[in-house]
Amino acid sequence: MKNTFGEKVFKVVNYTFLTLAAFTMLAPLVQMLAMSFSSPIAADSKKVFLFPVEFTFGAWEYILNRQDLWNSFAVTIFITVVGTLLSVLFSVLTAYPLAHPKFMIKRHVMFGIVITMIFNAPLIPFYLTVKSLGMLDSIWALIIPGLIGTFNMVIIRTFFMGIPAELSDSAQIDGCHDFRVLFQIFLPLSKPVLATVSLFYAVGYWNTFQRAILFIRDPNLHPLQVKLREYIVSPEMLSVTDMLGSFDYNITTLKAATIIFAATPIILVYPFLQKYFVKGAMLGSLKG
């Protein structure tokens, strides 16, 4: 069936709008990348837009040789990988009984959980609780206080509620206990929603900033986003004596290289999870 003239016009307008919208989102990142490979004079004189001007690797050579930046990168990798695994595990363990029809008090528990989505914990009691647990200046302070995201847990619960109860009933008749039903039946069927929630958690841990500012004083435990903030707010963190007279990099190009360094890893993960992300986000919203 051929498209009508109106449908063709709509497609052209729609694709044009989406292309322009995508460009407005990508352009700042591409400009930052181009600036990181440009000469200091070109970067400071606002000559760089989407392509490097007077191409140089100077800023990247300096950034990649900074040990403190790699230490922060390692901290961020640890809290992202370990935090995401633990968060998904505990979110699943919380969502499964709340999706079970025989759990008598699930409505009351869900009410208490939803309240936390509306009212956040006050800052001072939150800090004192973490302090009383002995987690100040500990890498676990960046993981445990935010271990279960309420929104992510609700998405998993909603997905579990859409799985036919006959599957778990049949498994239990065959002698399966709840843990076996969860890990051998529910989780294999839940790959899309688990990928979606994993991406949410991973992005959250990768961008950890507020908890690091509150709970971490040791510079060796600062995650990448805190280190990035130090470089941008305090340019002297990037200064070295041989920068004077250097024509390969300056504060502007070093800031651009650091921003790209911090953003690239998490951006590269998304394409591998995209198909699961879209499917999981839609499936998780079908049943309330």
Side-chain angles (χ1 to χ4, degrees), residues 123 126 142 207-217 223 225-226:
L123 187 60
F126 183 35
L142 304 178
N207 291 325
T208 296
F209 179 78
Q210 183 181 25
R211 287 199 297 271
I213 293 295
L214 285 175
F215 306 135
I216 304 297
R217 295 292 178 266
Q225 301 304 325
V226 174

Side-chain angles (χ1 to χ4, degrees), residues 20-275:
L20 292 175
F23 177 78
T24 60
M25 297 178 205
L26 290 175
L29 187 63
V30 174
Q31 183 185 31
M32 200 66 63
L33 179 64
M35 193 174 296
S36 69
F37 287 109
S38 299
S39 70
I41 295 177
D44 286 340
S45 59
K46 311 297 182 183
K47 294 181 179 179
V48 182
F49 182 46
L50 297 180
F51 299 98
V53 177
E54 299 175 5
F55 191 91
T56 176
F57 283 106
W60 282 98
E61 289 178 357
Y62 178 70
I63 287 295
L64 295 179
N65 284 322
R66 288 191 64 94
Q67 186 61 43
D68 59 337
L69 192 63
W70 284 109
N71 289 340
S72 296
F73 184 77
V75 170
T76 300
I77 289 290
F78 179 84
I79 64 175
T80 300
V81 174
V82 176
T84 299
L85 291 175
L86 291 177
S87 291
V88 172
L89 174 62
F90 280 91
S91 296
V92 165
L93 294 176
T94 305
Y96 178 68
L98 292 175
H100 203 288
K102 296 181 181 179
F103 186 41
M104 302 300 296
I105 60 172
K106 64 178 183 179
R107 292 185 180 274
H108 301 85
V109 175
M110 274 303 300
F111 176 78
I113 291 174
V114 170
I115 286 295
T116 65
M117 299 177 66
I118 303 173
F119 302 102
N120 293 324
L123 187 60
I124 295 177
F126 183 35
Y127 176 85
L128 293 177
T129 300
V130 173
K131 181 180 179 180
S132 66
L133 294 174
M135 290 192 296
L136 291 183
D137 258 348
S138 167
I139 199 169
W140 297 107
L142 304 178
I143 298 176
I144 294 178
L147 194 61
I148 298 179
T150 307
F151 176 74
N152 296 329
M153 189 278 295
V154 170
I155 291 178
I156 298 174
R157 171 184 176 268
T158 304
F159 189 91
F160 283 171
M161 291 174 65
I163 297 177
E166 290 79 5
L167 288 176
S168 58
D169 292 341
S170 299
Q172 289 175 345
I173 291 174
D174 292 336
C176 292
H177 50 73
D178 284 329
F179 276 101
R180 190 172 178 184
V181 172
L182 172 61
F183 286 99
Q184 294 189 0
I185 296 178
F186 274 63
L187 293 190
L189 295 174
S190 306
K191 290 180 181 178
V193 74
L194 293 179
T196 302
V197 170
S198 296
L199 185 61
F200 287 160
Y201 276 125
V203 172
Y205 281 116
W206 187 268
N207 291 325
T208 296
F209 179 78
Q210 183 181 25
R211 287 199 297 271
I213 293 295
L214 285 175
F215 306 135
I216 304 297
R217 295 292 178 266
D218 185 357
N220 294 323
L221 293 178
H222 280 168
L224 196 56
Q225 301 304 325
V226 174
K227 188 64 64 175
L228 176 61
R229 183 251 186 191
E230 291 175 355
Y231 287 173
I232 293 177
V233 175
S234 305
E236 63 272 10
M237 293 287 295
L238 286 169
S239 299
V240 288
T241 55
D242 63 351
M243 283 181 62
L244 297 175
S246 172
F247 296 98
D248 293 329
Y249 55 85
N250 68 350
I251 296 299
T252 303
T253 58
L254 290 175
K255 285 181 180 180
T258 307
I259 292 172
I260 296 298
F261 179 84
T264 299
I266 199 66
I267 292 175
L268 295 178
V269 172
Y270 180 76
F272 297 100
L273 298 177
Q274 183 178 11
K275 62 178 181 179

